[in-house]
Amino acid sequence: MLKIAVILGSIREGRFGPAVANWLLDHLHERDDMSADLIDLAETPLPTVLPVLGQPPASQEDRDLLAAVSPRLAAADAFVIVTPEYNHSFPAALKNAIDWHGVEWQAKPVAFVSYGAFSAGLRAVEQLRLVLAELHAVTLRDSVGLQHPWAQFDGDGKALDPAVDAASKVMLDRLAWWAHALREARTARPYTV
């Protein structure tokens, strides 16, 4: 069973992200090869002031906030980042969560579900690929981009366009392949930086 951490990157009031994340979680729950752990950054805020490079957080409060997220990222075999596009990029809370962690990302696959008005959030994804490459994560080519997401789902949270569900299946199938391959590789030969 692969452990998939689903990271919901938006913390904005009135956000649409939970609807997108719940749709994705429905797909993950249908699979018999994956278990999902939703890390909602609005519910698990992280400190916003980073310590001196290489040093632990100074305050107990910061350590407690990290304790709610860091072990879950470390336990994950793979990640799916659910992100909107804000000003042609991704949310600051998501960058903060990425920056607080290093080894948790290394040699693990990352898939994306993005959403936005005309761009479907794809500019946010392209920027995330650059950031995650620096952390030695492996980003997947196959992703899901939702243009005008508020019009993509019915009242029960189901996608109106079957192509959206088909894209999620392809993405999760690819994620499973990479998660198994990289987990086996990390087991045979630990990844070091």
Side-chain angles (χ1 to χ4, degrees), residues 129-148:
R129 290 182 194 285
L130 296 172
V131 172
L132 291 163
E134 179 63 21
L135 295 169
H136 299 262
V138 178
T139 61
L140 274 63
R141 175 199 176 278
D142 297 287
S143 63
V144 177
L146 300 168
Q147 188 178 44
H148 300 289

Side-chain angles (χ1 to χ4, degrees), residues 15-115:
R15 63 198 172 133
F16 192 74
V20 177
N22 288 333
W23 165 80
L24 175 65
L25 290 171
D26 287 345
H27 283 279
L28 283 161
H29 294 317
E30 291 172 1
R31 298 180 66 101
D32 60 5
D33 61 341
M34 296 178 168
S35 64
D37 177 17
L38 176 63
I39 300 172
D40 183 342
L41 296 179
E43 295 178 4
T44 53
L46 293 171
T48 56
V49 178
L50 295 166
V52 173
L53 190 60
Q55 297 297 312
S59 74
Q60 184 61 47
E61 179 183 358
D62 287 355
R63 289 191 293 276
D64 291 343
L65 291 172
L66 286 162
V69 175
S70 301
R72 295 162 67 188
L73 294 178
D77 294 303
F79 307 96
V80 179
I81 294 177
V82 177
T83 185
E85 183 176 309
Y86 292 168
N87 301 318
H88 290 209
S89 189
F90 52 91
L94 182 54
K95 179 66 161 74
N96 188 49
I98 292 168
D99 288 347
W100 270 106
H101 301 93
V103 296
E104 292 85 354
W105 301 106
Q106 290 176 3
K108 293 181 183 179
V110 182
F112 303 98
V113 175
S114 62
Y115 57 97

Side-chain angles (χ1 to χ4, degrees), residues 169-183:
K169 181 177 181 345
V170 169
M171 179 192 70
L172 292 175
D173 287 347
R174 299 278 194 270
L175 187 65
W177 190 93
W178 279 103
H180 281 294
L182 291 171
R183 183 169 68 182

